[in-house]
Amino acid sequence: MFHTDQAAPRVDAGWPPRPILGIESSCDETAAAVIDRDGLVLSNVISSQTAVHAKFGGVVPELAARAHIGMIDTVVADALSQARLTKKDLGAIAVTRGPGLAGALLVGVNYAKAMSYGLGVPLVGVNHLEGHIASAWLADPAFPLPCIVLVVSGGHTHLYRRERGGSCALLGCTRDDAAGEAFDKGAQMLGLEFPGGPAIDRLARQGNREAIRFPRFHRRKSSLEFSFSGLKTSLLYKLRDMDAGERVRQTADLAAGYQEAIVQVLASKALAALAQEKLSALAVVGGVSANSRLRGLLHEWAERNRFRLAVPPMAYCTDNAAMIASAGRQVLMSDPGSIREFDIQPSLQVQPLPRPALREEITHS
Ligand code: KG4
Ligand code: ZN
């Protein structure tokens, strides 16, 4: 069991009075979890749709929505029974309202609205990215604020500075593909199965990360912006220049070299953000934080450079509902009066800060 007590202000220490149910359906996982009023995770159930989408090489939105409809009732029932609770024990419900696939979000939000209406308990609409950020505190409730947060998922590669009160300032993000997308598209080129991140991660362990070098793309060395589309092109050219036999013989080295270029850029930008903001605490969250080489590199650098690191336990890296319940609990604790009617928001961001001008040139080393 993990605690979810993030260092946020408690306006009313009595809130939430009873356990919270979290529901997540923004992409291809139908998930439900229950946390108690102190933030302890009582259950965390995830039903993955990987098998539904695998033959298409990516998530098909219409199929995702239909699969959520088919699974949500069972997943919620499992989460309640694993927590040894019934619906009547719940004090609140938290559900992902965005960002994500519109049809998929609608399933979770409408289910949660009906349930909250039927039970007469408050409903909190949670930003999926806030959920990922909250996951950093699942294993380390005392992780300090302010800190740097790197969100690396299938749709996001964002660096934030998170303040004590919970607000975030965007320091940099990707100009094109997200890190997870770079893994997924690279895996597709290498002929690996979907989802590509775990497939590259597994294969890379059998390869030599120094054998085939891929460029590390930076938008100016000092910039905190990311770019992964050039890396993808570089893999395409390397594959084009190999014959079929070479490709088979070198797949593991290609996967290891490609992965290395992604994780080196992620880790070095995170380190640059720590230096720029003069902070010594880094949280790395989202599906790509499950990557074994990234986790290893970050731990090594944290020790060498003496900064405090929070990477969620594997169960909380990819999409899950414990993180949604946890983020919802923060809202209930800090500002219960802010809960109001909401609808899905497929393009929701953490904070709509203006993006820096697109003047820097991409350089690579
Ligand atoms: O956070 P997440 O589950 O969903 C989104 O919010 O997007 O992230 C999914 C992404 C996918 O692109 C997947 O390939 C990647 O996380 N991922 C990984 C690993 N596990 C999942 N990437 C690299 N290595 C992994 N072990
Ligand atoms: Zn996610």
Side-chain angles (χ1 to χ4, degrees):
M1 284 207 214
F2 290 98
H3 208 275
T4 60
D5 197 9
Q6 209 178 126
R10 289 172 189 242
V11 172
D12 179 349
W15 260 92
R18 284 179 288 146
I20 302 170
L21 171 71
I23 296 177
E24 155 64 36
S25 73
S26 66
C27 192
D28 60 343
E29 326 277 355
T30 317
V34 181
I35 62 172
D36 74 5
R37 51 168 293 170
D38 297 319
L40 213 63
V41 179
L42 303 179
S43 65
N44 186 35
V45 178
I46 302 172
S47 166
S48 173
Q49 302 175 4
T50 302
V52 174
H53 304 288
K55 58 177 170 293
F56 302 101
V59 179
V60 183
E62 181 57 33
L63 294 183
R66 283 192 222 165
H68 285 308
I69 292 171
M71 282 313 295
I72 195 158
D73 214 25
T74 310
V75 167
V76 169
D78 284 356
L80 284 167
S81 85
Q82 285 181 27
R84 297 176 189 279
L85 297 173
T86 70
K87 286 179 187 174
K88 295 208 168 65
D89 297 313
L90 296 173
I93 299 171
V95 64
T96 305
R97 73 176 206 275
L101 304 170
L105 289 165
L106 271 173
V107 177
V109 167
N110 285 339
Y111 186 95
K113 279 185 176 176
M115 202 169 165
S116 113
Y117 183 75
L119 295 171
V121 297
L123 175 66
V124 193
V126 172
N127 183 325
H128 182 81
L129 300 173
E130 288 288 353
H132 274 304
I133 293 172
S135 72
W137 279 263
L138 285 164
D140 189 356
F143 193 71
L145 287 167
C147 70
I148 297 295
V149 182
L150 173 62
V151 182
V152 270
S153 68
H156 292 83
T157 304
H158 284 47
L159 261 173
Y160 298 102
R161 177 191 167 104
R162 186 149 176 102
E163 302 297 344
R164 208 161 276 124
S167 66
C168 277
L170 182 64
L171 303 175
C173 61
T174 180
R175 294 300 190 176
D176 38 59
D177 292 340
E181 236 176 322
F183 272 107
D184 293 336
K185 290 177 178 171
Q188 209 168 22
M189 284 189 247
L190 290 168
L192 307 177
E193 74 268 30
F194 170 84
I200 290 192
D201 193 349
R202 276 193 301 274
L203 185 62
R205 283 177 217 156
Q206 298 158 34
N208 174 1
R209 56 178 177 260
E210 313 293 339
I212 303 173
R213 192 183 155 84
F214 285 84
R216 280 85 162 122
F217 286 89
H218 298 277
R219 291 191 162 267
R220 281 194 289 122
K221 273 277 157 60
S222 59
S223 150
L224 297 177
E225 303 289 308
F226 301 84
S227 170
F228 294 108
S229 63
L231 178 65
K232 217 172 48 190
T233 312
S234 159
L235 175 59
L236 187 74
Y237 287 163
K238 284 192 197 313
L239 286 169
R240 200 190 52 186
D241 295 342
M242 287 178 180
D243 63 32
E246 273 178 311
R247 267 184 231 149
V248 172
R249 276 194 306 280
Q250 300 197 50
T251 316
D253 287 344
L254 284 164
Y258 185 81
Q259 169 177 275
E260 191 64 12
I262 298 175
V263 305
Q264 287 283 345
V265 168
L266 292 176
S268 62
K269 296 276 177 195
L271 210 66
L274 284 171
Q276 178 189 295
E277 298 299 309
K278 300 187 173 39
L279 291 174
S280 57
L282 169 69
V284 182
V285 299
V288 177
S289 68
N291 184 269
S292 59
R293 172 65 183 148
L294 178 63
R295 293 170 86 93
L297 194 67
L298 287 168
H299 279 110
E300 202 181 300
W301 287 13
E303 204 164 303
R304 192 188 317 145
N305 296 286
R306 293 171 190 279
F307 61 85
R308 186 151 161 190
L309 177 69
V311 190
M314 294 297 271
Y316 304 124
C317 288
T318 47
D319 290 349
N320 67 88
M323 69 183 196
I324 301 302
S326 174
R329 177 171 169 274
Q330 291 307 311
V331 177
L332 288 164
M333 283 196 340
S334 60
D335 193 5
S338 71
I339 300 168
R340 57 180 78 91
E341 269 289 301
F342 66 90
D343 233 320
I344 60 159
Q345 278 182 271
S347 321
L348 190 64
Q349 294 299 320
V350 165
Q351 209 174 347
L353 287 182
R355 286 157 69 96
L358 267 163
R359 255 180 283 118
E360 324 91 340
E361 288 301 307
I362 296 182
T363 59
H364 56 89
S365 55

